[in-house]
Amino acid sequence: MTLGLVFAAAVAGGMGAGLRYLVDAVVIRGREGAFPLGILVVNVTGSLALGILVGLGAAIAPPALVMVVGTGLLGGYTTFSTVSVETALLLQRRRRRAAVVNIVGTLVLALAAAGLGMLIGGAVAALAGG
């Protein structure tokens, strides 16, 4: 791993964090204090994108690209810590059902999205002869 790749992953991580903020802000606009749907959307779409990247395989997605996009951009975009804090806040507000839906829903939907992404990426790689 070169210093240039580390720098590229760091820059991509910052871009991913900015993108996360924008997506969350657009989804929750006017809904402050409501169910944290924006972060759910972020984590599910990020899992789908990472699944596609992994599904493409090394022949289609070189390791340097996987590191920069997967670890950097998508690592900065998705966030387990925010899901944890949002769930704790829901519990603190005595919104137990919403807290359970948030944590379980995030896990189930993100896992399903990652699996779907891997299938899509694998199909694209197969079509491309990879």
Side-chain angles (χ1 to χ4, degrees):
M1 179 178 345
T2 66
L3 187 56
L5 276 177
V6 172
F7 181 73
V11 169
M15 292 171 56
L19 183 60
R20 173 188 349 125
Y21 174 80
L22 290 174
V23 169
D24 183 42
V26 167
V27 172
I28 66 164
R29 181 172 297 145
R31 300 180 58 239
E32 284 76 18
F35 184 83
L37 184 61
I39 295 301
L40 178 64
V41 168
V42 162
N43 284 316
V44 172
T45 58
S47 295
L48 176 67
L50 185 58
I52 290 170
L53 186 64
V54 168
L56 289 173
I60 306 293
L65 176 69
V66 172
M67 183 193 148
V68 171
V69 174
T71 303
L73 182 71
L74 296 173
Y77 178 63
T78 58
T79 173
F80 180 75
S81 59
T82 302
V83 172
S84 300
V85 168
E86 293 286 358
T87 301
L89 287 171
L90 288 168
L91 287 170
Q92 194 176 51
R93 295 179 192 129
R94 301 192 189 294
R95 295 181 60 202
R96 289 178 184 88
R97 183 172 295 160
V100 170
V101 167
N102 189 46
I103 198 73
V104 173
T106 297
L107 175 63
V108 170
L109 292 173
L111 183 59
L116 177 62
M118 291 174 70
L119 288 172
I120 292 168
V124 170
L127 288 172

